[in-house]
């Protein structure tokens, strides 16, 4: 019998060749390198959500499409809340649990593998964090409405959707499709915010994205891949170099999109007595 400890790498296999690295799907690559996969705005967005939705130790948060656990982990660190995360990718869920055990096991976190279109939690939540994840679902309006059924009668939805003021040029659309696997058209601001119609807007702030300089990308890639190789016991220089090259490629793709995308940080309140009607003007 195999015993899992706090420091045991949770994935059943590690890449043996450079070809293995490049053959992995994007979600599998995120798990392979234990990338700290974040929503737009990262720590700043999490802090905004925590403050404006008044998360505290009595709050119960659902982290939708949690990947390696950043959102739920950081909200719990900031506020002491309880959090549950789910993701379709089993490897990402394993890494979220691994990061919980290795970084701060005292946090009250639970992770599970689930499909958001069929997921049925055994409780309701005070807060649901979706970040920019709705765009990865085949029917974003349907999943947005479905998630509201998991909220307390006066719960909060925390979002940070990407959008673009103009249609993406073909080279940027190709990057979004080929690197990240997103085939749906890039939403406008109106389309992105329409997913949340009928919810009370407690906080809303539009943000521009700034491309990262090359030295910042190199530092990020070296930090992430050094950690992943140490955690997974990867010593082959060819594999390490392939992991670094692919992550650099991902970050450069992100930079391409940053020239065209924007995002909006939202704190939204669900009131079961009035939803989906709206009686308060938006300014």
């Amino acid at each position: 019998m195999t015993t899992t400890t706090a420091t045991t790498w949770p994935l059943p296999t590690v890449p043996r060749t450079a070809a293995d690295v490049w053959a992995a799907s994007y979600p599998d690559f995120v798990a392979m390198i234990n990338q700290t996969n974040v929503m737009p705005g990262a720590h700043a967005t999490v802090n905004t959500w925590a403050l404006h939705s008044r998360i505290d130790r009595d709050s119960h948060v659902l982290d939708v499409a949690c990947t390696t656990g950043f959102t739920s982990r950081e909200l719990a660190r900031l506020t002491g809340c309880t959090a549950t995360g789910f993701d379709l990718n089993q490897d990402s869920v394993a890494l979220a649990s691994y990061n919980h055990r290795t970084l701060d096991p005292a946090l009250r976190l639970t992770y599970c593998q689930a499909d958001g279109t069929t997921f049925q939690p055994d409780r309701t939540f005070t807060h649901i964090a979706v970040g920019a994840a709705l765009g990865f679902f085949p029917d974003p309006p349907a999943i947005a409405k479905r998630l509201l059924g998991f909220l307390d009668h006066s719960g909060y939805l925390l979002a940070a959707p990407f959008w673009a003021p103009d249609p993406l040029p073909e080279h940027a659309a190709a990057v979004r499709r080929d690197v990240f696997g997103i085939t749906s058209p890039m939403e406008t601001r109106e389309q992105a915010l329409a997913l949340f119609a009928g919810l009370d807007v407690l906080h809303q702030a539009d943000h521009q994205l700034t491309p990262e300089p090359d030295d910042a990308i190199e530092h990020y890639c070296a930090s992430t891949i050094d950690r992943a190789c140490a955690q997974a016991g990867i010593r082959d220089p060819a594999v390490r170099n392939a992991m670094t090259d692919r992550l650099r490629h991902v970050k450069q793709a992100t930079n391409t999109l940053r020239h065209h995308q924007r995002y909006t940080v939202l704190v939204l309140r669900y009131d079961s007595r009035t939803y989906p009607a709206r009686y308060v003007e938006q300014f």
Side-chain angles (χ1 to χ4, degrees):
M1 181 176 69
T2 302
T3 301
T4 300
T5 68
T7 56
T8 300
W9 184 246
L11 303 188
T13 61
V14 297
R16 301 297 181 186
T17 66
D20 291 342
V21 174
W22 288 99
S25 68
Y26 175 67
D28 286 346
F29 178 68
V30 167
M32 178 191 295
I33 64 171
N34 195 11
Q35 184 182 11
T36 306
N37 204 12
V38 302
M39 79 298 288
H43 286 291
T45 295
V46 168
N47 195 49
T48 297
W49 285 346
L51 289 171
H52 288 280
S53 68
R54 298 161 179 81
I55 301 177
D56 59 24
R57 286 192 59 82
D58 295 327
S59 300
H60 302 276
V61 178
L62 178 64
D63 184 3
V64 176
C66 64
T67 71
T68 55
F70 173 83
T71 298
S72 42
R73 189 169 63 251
E74 292 303 318
L75 283 173
R77 288 178 67 185
L78 281 172
T79 69
C81 69
T82 301
T84 298
F86 76 86
D87 198 279
L88 183 62
N89 186 276
Q90 183 62 58
D91 287 352
S92 291
V93 171
L95 264 298
S97 296
Y98 172 84
N99 291 327
H100 174 210
R101 295 194 306 269
T102 57
L103 295 174
D104 200 338
L107 298 177
R108 296 179 295 165
L109 303 174
T110 304
Y111 297 100
C112 64
Q113 191 275 335
D115 183 334
T117 63
T118 58
F119 177 60
Q120 289 290 346
D122 58 5
R123 59 161 304 137
T124 57
F125 299 89
T126 60
H127 299 73
I128 296 179
V130 298
L134 294 183
F136 288 91
F137 287 91
D139 188 348
I143 194 68
K145 186 173 182 180
R146 187 170 192 273
L147 290 172
L148 297 181
F150 305 157
L151 278 172
D152 291 349
H153 70 86
S154 188
Y156 298 84
L157 191 72
L158 312 174
F162 283 116
W163 51 273
D166 302 298
L168 293 182
E170 178 52 36
H171 75 279
V175 161
R176 187 168 174 261
R177 178 183 63 248
D178 298 341
V179 177
F180 301 105
I182 305 173
T183 58
S184 59
M186 186 73 230
E187 294 88 349
T188 64
R189 183 179 185 276
E190 181 180 4
Q191 290 169 334
L193 299 189
L195 293 175
F196 311 109
L199 299 173
D200 298 330
V201 181
L202 303 189
H203 175 84
Q204 177 177 310
D206 294 345
H207 296 269
Q208 286 199 277
L209 291 149
T210 303
E212 293 185 85
D214 289 344
D215 59 345
I217 289 177
E218 291 304 317
H219 179 60
Y220 174 84
C221 290
S223 299
T224 299
I225 301 306
D226 284 348
R227 180 181 65 181
C229 289
Q231 290 174 332
I234 296 171
R235 298 179 178 84
D236 186 335
V239 173
R240 185 197 184 283
N241 290 341
M243 293 165 72
T244 302
D245 289 345
R246 182 165 180 185
L247 182 57
R248 184 185 297 115
H249 181 63
V250 168
K251 295 301 292 178
Q252 290 168 344
T254 300
N255 259 5
T256 296
L257 292 172
R258 283 182 178 220
H259 288 287
H260 308 283
Q261 288 180 324
R262 310 286 187 270
Y263 70 96
T264 300
V265 176
L266 294 163
V267 175
L268 304 154
R269 183 176 60 197
Y270 167 67
D271 189 333
S272 62
R273 298 166 299 181
T274 60
Y275 180 84
R278 178 169 68 84
Y279 305 108
V280 177
E281 293 186 59
Q282 303 297 317
F283 294 95

